[in-house]
Amino acid sequence: MTILIFVSRHFKLAAFLVGIGAFVQHYAGSGFGVDAFLKDRLWMITQYLVNYVDHGFARRALLGTVLRPFIQASGDPEVAAVVALLIVFALCFAICVFAIDWLLPHHETRTADLSHGLRVAFVIGSAGIMQMIRDHGRYDLSNFCLLFLAIYLALNRRLFWTGLVAAVGVLHHEAFAVFALPLVFALVAHVSAQNGESRFNRAVLLFLTPVLAAIIAVAVFGNSELAADIDLGE
């Protein structure tokens, strides 16, 4: 049994152990208090505080709107934002691990194949857990979760709901329109084309309507005067 097959077989356990270890190592020198998180992630924390209620329609304010009741109920918004960041990160990390385990299932073979290599690369590679830990708090990981959900819905031919999830992804972080929408649209087109031209046109319309509405909203209103004085980070 090679190391690739061993890690692939115990993928979820290995992913969580490596993730926890990398997180501890990352903050071992600076401590685990609120100040340690604020020091390097102040602009990330700011994004968790921006919301539609207090700031009007602003880009990337969807998550802050969902978290607003929790943050408003706390005595210290910055501390609450740090806690929210860690909870969201932990939840999205777990979803990504289980989603990758589902998308790249382990196969019991005597020799390692591509799926084994990709699973191991996620556990120990720079494009997997290591990058997540270094940049935890960014919206990339939560956007991946929305991408996985959109893929699942598209494969199950729930194309309008796929469009709604994709629209949420754009409102959550506009980068979703660049790295995820082409993939999701291609999958929607492939699935709907199997049902004939009329079904294809209807499916594409169902998918694109909420997506285009979200893109137009962000493009036209996302950087309006309502959001001009809000530090949304980089």
Side-chain angles (χ1 to χ4, degrees), residues 48-71:
Y48 282 73
L49 296 173
V50 177
N51 60 81
Y52 298 145
V53 179
D54 299 323
H55 307 105
F57 187 84
R59 64 190 180 99
R60 309 181 191 179
L62 182 60
L63 182 59
T65 304
V66 174
L67 295 173
R68 183 177 181 272
F70 167 72
I71 292 175

Side-chain angles (χ1 to χ4, degrees), residues 16 18 23 28 41 60 67 71 76 78 90 93 97 99 107 114-115 137 148 164 178 191-192 199 230:
F16 282 110
V18 171
F23 183 85
R41 285 171 169 73
R60 309 181 191 179
L67 295 173
I71 292 175
D76 189 333
E78 284 190 341
F93 182 88
V97 169
H107 301 289
L114 180 61
S115 66
F148 291 142
L164 285 181
V178 178
V191 169
S192 57
R199 292 285 185 87
I230 302 172

Side-chain angles (χ1 to χ4, degrees), residues 32-189:
F32 297 92
V34 173
D35 291 341
F37 289 95
L38 290 176
K39 178 181 178 182
D40 298 324
R41 285 171 169 73
L42 184 58
W43 69 269
M44 294 182 188
I45 300 300
T46 302
Q47 293 190 87
Y48 282 73
L49 296 173
V50 177
N51 60 81
Y52 298 145
V53 179
D54 299 323
H55 307 105
F57 187 84
R59 64 190 180 99
R60 309 181 191 179
L62 182 60
L63 182 59
T65 304
V66 174
L67 295 173
R68 183 177 181 272
F70 167 72
I71 292 175
Q72 291 294 313
S74 69
D76 189 333
E78 284 190 341
V79 173
V82 170
V83 173
L85 183 153
L86 292 175
I87 292 175
V88 170
F89 171 77
L91 179 62
C92 292
F93 182 88
I95 291 174
C96 281
V97 169
F98 281 94
I100 290 173
D101 188 53
W102 170 61
L103 291 171
L104 296 170
H106 172 76
H107 301 289
E108 284 293 346
T109 60
R110 292 186 176 181
T111 57
D113 58 20
L114 180 61
S115 66
H116 295 121
L118 290 175
R119 287 159 71 91
V120 173
F122 176 79
V123 173
I124 64 175
S126 60
I129 290 174
M130 300 305 174
Q131 182 68 15
M132 290 181 186
I133 297 297
R134 191 180 75 82
D135 287 339
H136 85 269
R138 294 181 186 269
Y139 284 169
D140 299 25
L141 191 56
S142 45
N143 260 347
F144 278 130
C145 293
L146 292 171
L147 172 60
F148 291 142
L149 178 58
I151 291 174
Y152 173 80
L153 291 170
L155 290 175
N156 285 274
R157 301 179 185 277
R158 300 185 179 276
L159 303 183
F160 177 70
W161 289 103
T162 305
L164 285 181
V165 170
V168 169
V170 173
L171 294 176
H172 179 54
H173 193 298
E174 64 277 7
F176 190 93
V178 178
F179 81 87
L181 274 186
L183 173 62
V184 178
F185 178 76
L187 184 57
V188 168

